[in-house]
Amino acid sequence: MDVERLPFDQYQRYRLVSDLVGEVRPPGKRLRILDVGGRTALLRDFLPADRVDLVDMEPAPSPGLVLGDGSRLPFMDGAFDVVAAFDTLEHVPPQARAAFVAECARVSRGYVMIAGPYQTARVEEAEEAVLVFLEQKLGIEHRYLREHRAYGLPDRAETEGVLAAAGLTVKSFGHANLDRWILLMCLEFYVDYDPTLRELGQRIFKFYNATLYASDHIEPVYRHVVIGAVAGAPMPEASKVLAPPGAPREALPAFLPLAQELLAFDHQRDALRPELERLHQVVRSLEEDLRQHDEAQRTVEADLTAHRATVVALRAELDRERAANACVQRDLEADLAGNRATVAALRADIEGLRAGLAQHEALQSDLAREIEVRGAALDEHRARLRDLESELVAARADLARERAAASADLAGARAEAKALRSELEQHHGLRSLLESTLEEHRDLATRHGNALLDREARVDDLHAELTAAFERARAAEVELDALREESERLVRLLRSRLGNLGRAFAPRKFGDPT
């Protein structure tokens, strides 16, 4: 970095302190220096051979910057060879300034150098003149000069007193002639305000820094460097690092053409001011658009952050669900193994049911054969009944023929009636046997039906097959019912025929009609 191209005000303060440090440096020693309020790290460019640590309350991208309060420095006693502060004390609240200076003395083992403006009427008037120029000519407000006014400039005698109370030898050196400082400050802000003049401003500052800086300490001055030396440390001499006061005679005439050129430029700029104001308005509008875009971007970034947090939460939830699903899967696999065993048992039950069904079908076949046998017996009984009916008809015919001889043959008829009654009792016995047989078949069919229903409840998958078996059983039962009804009808018919026969052979009273 070419430090001579820095604005004159920055160059003044850093160059003076760095020259004073060089004047008291032991030969060949690399110093450890603390810059309090030095977040810009400019002192490193003036003292590249030394180690310069930085502490400030405001963050900055400078490497090694420590965030800390100058009135409570986070360092051990006597940690540094030099502790410096550049135009910083005037920005410290008045109630904390004594602590600030005392802390600088505490952490130093060699020197304390506090550079900056101190309170005098002329210095305050000079700063006020610069503020008026900035506000009326350029329409801008300077933050740091406004802070000087708000806090008030520090008292140099009080600063020296704090260092002396800490046991340091104290001396002050002044620099930056006030009249020249006012003009150069206005020039600095003027050329910085217009981007087209910034390169010219750097050339002007380089000229000042190279030719006028060393002699620019004619009283009254704007800035002082208050130096405190720890006991035994030699006090630096400004006369050894500065030229005699007063500008070199050949240096000042060079500014006359420059002043004329700047006046002409200023006149042209006043003519162009409306257009510049319009362009500034456009710039402000673009800046507002950019601000809104930045706000929208921050909102999107916040939403994206929330979305990422949601994704992380969802992933965590998914992991938990996967773990839970793994447990459920293990339980399902265990249930599946149990179900397979149950299925195997059910298959064994099905095989048993099939065997039972085969037995039932065999019983049904036996029942059908029994029914067939019983049907044949019923057919025989029916044939016998028909024969009886034929005999009854013949008996009636014989009775009609033999009524005339009824008295003579009554004894024989009574004997024959007795025989018929015996035969009727036999028919009653046969009927009871048929009814008992029918009841046994009905019980057998009921037991088989109940067994089938119980097995159907155990194995739903065999429902259709068991239903078919039940249908066959019901058909057999219907057939049995039909046989029973037919048997009962025959019995009633037999009873009716026997009743008629009994009435026909019953003893008649004298005088009854034949």
Side-chain angles (χ1 to χ4, degrees):
M1 178 181 180
D2 184 3
V3 295
E4 286 189 344
R5 294 177 70 87
L6 286 172
F8 84 100
D9 191 52
Q10 285 184 330
Y11 184 84
Q12 285 178 346
R13 65 187 92 152
Y14 285 100
R15 174 65 187 275
L16 180 57
V17 170
S18 63
D19 286 348
L20 292 173
V21 170
E23 202 261 322
V24 297
R25 180 196 306 275
K29 182 178 180 180
R30 182 174 184 261
L31 301 178
R32 185 181 181 189
I33 302 172
L34 176 65
D35 184 355
V36 184
R39 66 180 182 278
T40 60
L42 283 177
L43 186 59
R44 290 174 176 171
D45 295 316
F46 285 85
L47 297 171
D50 296 315
R51 172 182 171 179
V52 179
D53 295 326
L54 311 174
V55 62
D56 204 308
M57 294 182 66
E58 297 183 13
S62 302
L65 173 64
V66 176
L67 294 179
D69 184 354
S71 61
R72 296 188 299 274
L73 290 173
F75 304 105
M76 297 177 61
D77 296 353
F80 300 94
D81 297 303
V82 178
V83 178
F86 300 91
D87 286 22
T88 301
L89 186 60
E90 65 272 20
H91 299 288
V92 176
Q95 64 273 17
R97 287 172 178 169
F100 181 95
V101 177
E103 278 291 278
C104 291
R106 179 184 66 80
V107 301
S108 175
R109 57 175 174 258
Y111 297 91
V112 175
M113 299 184 182
I114 302 177
Y118 290 89
Q119 193 278 328
T120 67
R122 290 291 306 274
V123 171
E124 290 177 343
E125 290 173 1
E127 288 190 345
E128 189 65 27
V130 174
L131 280 172
V132 171
F133 172 79
L134 293 176
E135 292 175 356
Q136 295 185 359
K137 180 64 176 177
L138 303 180
I140 61 177
E141 184 173 303
H142 195 273
R143 167 194 169 188
Y144 297 114
L145 290 177
R146 283 291 177 189
E147 203 166 81
H148 293 186
R149 178 186 290 178
Y151 286 166
L153 295 176
D155 187 283
R156 182 158 58 98
E158 291 180 0
T159 304
E160 293 172 346
V162 174
L163 291 176
L168 279 67
T169 304
V170 182
K171 192 172 184 179
S172 297
F173 300 99
H175 191 270
N177 174 260
L178 264 177
D179 296 331
R180 193 173 296 162
W181 181 85
I182 293 173
L183 292 175
L184 288 174
M185 284 296 291
C186 293
L187 178 63
E188 177 182 335
F189 287 115
Y190 186 85
V191 297
D192 186 67
Y193 179 76
D194 193 323
T196 61
L197 296 176
R198 288 174 185 168
E199 177 62 28
L200 174 63
Q202 290 183 356
R203 294 204 306 271
I204 294 172
F205 298 145
K206 186 176 179 65
F207 176 78
Y208 169 86
N209 296 336
T211 60
L212 297 178
Y213 155 77
S215 61
D216 190 17
H217 52 96
I218 301 173
E219 293 289 345
V221 294
Y222 174 72
R223 182 180 290 105
H224 281 82
V225 179
V226 177
I227 301 178
V230 177
M235 182 64 67
E237 293 295 335
S239 60
K240 295 182 180 181
V241 296
L242 294 175
R249 183 173 300 175
E250 67 276 8
L252 295 179
F255 280 95
L256 293 177
L258 174 64
Q260 293 174 354
E261 184 177 347
L262 286 176
L263 287 173
F265 177 82
D266 189 66
H267 177 72
Q268 294 176 358
R269 192 176 66 179
D270 287 341
L272 294 175
R273 188 179 297 277
E275 180 63 19
L276 289 174
E277 181 60 29
R278 186 188 69 79
L279 292 175
H280 286 316
Q281 182 64 32
V282 172
V283 170
R284 286 192 292 272
S285 176
L286 292 175
E287 289 175 347
E288 177 62 21
D289 292 342
L290 182 60
R291 184 188 65 79
Q292 294 177 0
H293 173 72
D294 290 340
E295 290 180 356
Q297 183 177 1
R298 285 192 293 272
T299 301
V300 171
E301 289 175 350
D303 293 341
L304 181 59
T305 301
H307 174 69
R308 286 172 178 167
T310 302
V311 169
V312 171
L314 288 175
R315 284 177 177 171
E317 182 65 23
L318 180 59
D319 292 338
R320 289 193 295 272
E321 288 184 0
R322 284 175 176 170
N325 289 337
C327 294
V328 172
Q329 184 176 359
R330 288 193 294 270
D331 293 340
L332 290 176
E333 289 175 351
D335 291 343
L336 181 59
N339 290 336
R340 285 173 178 168
T342 303
V343 169
L346 288 175
R347 285 177 177 170
D349 290 342
I350 289 171
E351 292 298 327
L353 288 173
R354 286 177 177 171
L357 184 60
Q359 293 176 358
H360 172 72
E361 289 177 350
L363 290 174
Q364 288 290 339
S365 178
D366 294 340
L367 180 61
R369 288 193 297 271
E370 183 69 21
I371 290 172
E372 184 178 356
V373 172
R374 299 295 182 179
L378 286 174
D379 289 339
E380 292 178 357
H381 289 296
R382 287 172 182 170
R384 181 68 180 274
L385 288 173
R386 285 194 296 271
D387 293 340
L388 289 173
E389 289 178 355
S390 299
E391 292 176 0
L392 188 58
V393 171
R396 285 178 177 176
D398 292 340
L399 183 61
R401 288 190 303 267
E402 294 177 356
R403 274 183 180 175
S407 299
D409 298 331
L410 183 58
R414 286 177 179 172
E416 187 178 357
K418 184 177 180 180
L420 288 173
R421 284 192 185 97
S422 177
E423 187 177 357
L424 180 59
E425 288 176 357
Q426 292 177 1
H427 281 295
H428 280 302
L430 179 60
R431 186 192 68 180
S432 298
L433 178 61
L434 289 173
E435 289 177 351
S436 175
T437 302
L438 288 173
E439 188 63 30
E440 289 175 358
H441 285 296
R442 186 180 295 109
D443 292 339
L444 179 60
T446 301
R447 286 194 302 273
H448 284 291
N450 291 334
L452 289 174
L453 289 174
D454 292 338
R455 290 172 183 175
E456 181 182 7
R458 293 173 58 192
V459 185
D460 293 336
D461 295 338
L462 295 176
H463 179 268
E465 185 177 353
L466 293 176
T467 301
F470 284 138
E471 290 298 327
R472 290 192 296 272
R474 288 192 185 98
E477 186 176 1
V478 169
E479 185 176 355
L480 288 174
D481 290 338
L483 291 173
R484 185 191 62 185
E485 290 176 359
E486 181 64 18
S487 177
E488 290 177 351
R489 188 184 66 79
L490 292 174
V491 169
R492 287 193 302 270
L493 180 60
L494 182 59
R495 285 178 178 175
S496 176
R497 298 285 178 85
L498 290 175
N500 292 334
L501 184 62
R503 284 192 299 272
F505 291 95
R508 293 181 176 82
K509 295 180 179 181
F510 182 77
D512 287 345
T514 302

